[in-house]
């Protein structure tokens, strides 16, 4: 039993880790952090191995939550740096005027952000996003549409401001 469990876990790791780590890399823009997040997602899966019905989905949802935590922690660090110093060279750029799609996705409400991350960044079909989030397919489609419209509007405003 333990041997087959270990074999299944090893096969799953070999099959999914590279893609999960790559997905995290695109979201956090740092190799080391991406590998830490992907490894932590697998660690959490292993701790719940017998209770998880859909390991791939569990991994991506867990990683999405860890990425969100990373973004929050990074933002807290940025705010602390801004408070400590007023030097322009040290102060990070103003994210409200940054048209970076990653930052815009980060700013979406969780209800819209999770489907965007799973569908567009993890390449999951709408049906799978629906199952993982516990929402109807039509709701997922509507959330994706709403998120795209918000991103498009924000990008348009930023593009209008550039010289």
């Amino acid at each position: 039993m333990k041997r087959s469990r270990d074999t299944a876990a090893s096969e799953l790791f070999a099959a999914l880790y590279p893609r999960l780590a790559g997905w995290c890399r695109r979201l956090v823009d740092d190799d080391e952090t991406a590998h830490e997040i992907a490894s932590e997602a697998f660690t959490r899966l292993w701790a719940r191995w017998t209770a998880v019905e859909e390991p791939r989905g569990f991994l991506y949802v867990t990683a999405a939550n860890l990425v969100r935590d990373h973004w929050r922690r990074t933002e807290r660090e940025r705010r602390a740096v801004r408070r400590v110093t007023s030097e322009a060279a040290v102060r990070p750029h103003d994210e409200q005027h940054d048209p970076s799609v990653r930052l815009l996705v980060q700013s979406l409400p969780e209800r819209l952000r999770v489907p965007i991350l799973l569908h567009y960044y993890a390449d999951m079909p709408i049906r799978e996003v629906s199952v993982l989030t516990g929402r109807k397919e039509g709701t997922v489609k509507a959330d994706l549409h709403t998120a795209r419209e918000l991103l498009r509007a924000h990008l348009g405003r930023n593009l209008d401001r550039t010289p």
Side-chain angles (χ1 to χ4, degrees):
M1 174 86 173
K2 181 165 175 32
R3 187 170 195 69
S4 64
R5 179 180 172 213
D6 290 348
T7 302
S10 294
E11 290 171 358
L12 184 72
F13 183 84
L16 296 181
Y17 183 84
R19 189 168 181 188
L20 180 67
W23 178 69
C24 292
R25 170 67 173 88
R26 289 193 309 266
L27 295 172
V28 299
D29 203 28
D30 177 65
D31 284 335
E32 185 177 338
T33 303
H35 285 285
E36 287 175 11
I37 289 171
S39 297
E40 178 64 20
F42 270 95
T43 300
R44 291 181 185 191
L45 172 63
W46 182 248
R48 295 165 185 79
W49 183 253
T50 57
V52 174
E53 291 183 33
E54 177 50 52
R56 180 176 182 257
F58 178 89
L59 287 168
Y60 276 91
V61 169
T62 301
N65 289 335
L66 293 168
V67 165
R68 182 195 64 223
D69 293 345
H70 169 76
W71 286 342
R72 286 179 178 164
R73 188 171 43 258
T74 301
E75 180 53 32
R76 283 192 303 271
E77 290 168 0
R78 286 182 186 148
R79 282 194 303 263
V81 168
R82 283 190 289 250
R83 279 192 306 267
V84 169
T85 181
S86 61
E87 296 176 28
V90 176
R91 187 173 48 235
H93 61 280
D94 183 2
E95 290 181 354
Q96 290 184 341
H97 300 294
D98 186 345
S100 166
V101 173
R102 184 174 56 90
L103 291 174
L104 294 176
V105 169
Q106 176 184 344
S107 71
L108 289 171
E110 184 171 356
R111 174 183 69 83
L112 302 176
R113 183 178 57 247
V114 170
I116 287 283
L117 291 174
L118 294 175
H119 183 66
Y120 290 108
Y121 287 86
D123 296 324
M124 290 185 183
I126 289 174
R127 175 174 288 142
E128 194 168 346
V129 174
S130 170
V131 170
L132 292 174
T133 60
R135 300 179 194 154
K136 293 181 180 177
E137 285 185 41
T139 303
V140 170
K141 289 178 184 178
D143 288 346
L144 290 170
H145 173 77
T146 301
R148 284 191 307 268
E149 290 301 313
L150 286 170
L151 295 172
R152 186 176 294 121
H154 193 65
L155 281 170
R157 281 195 306 272
N158 283 331
L159 293 175
D160 292 341
R161 288 189 205 134
T162 54

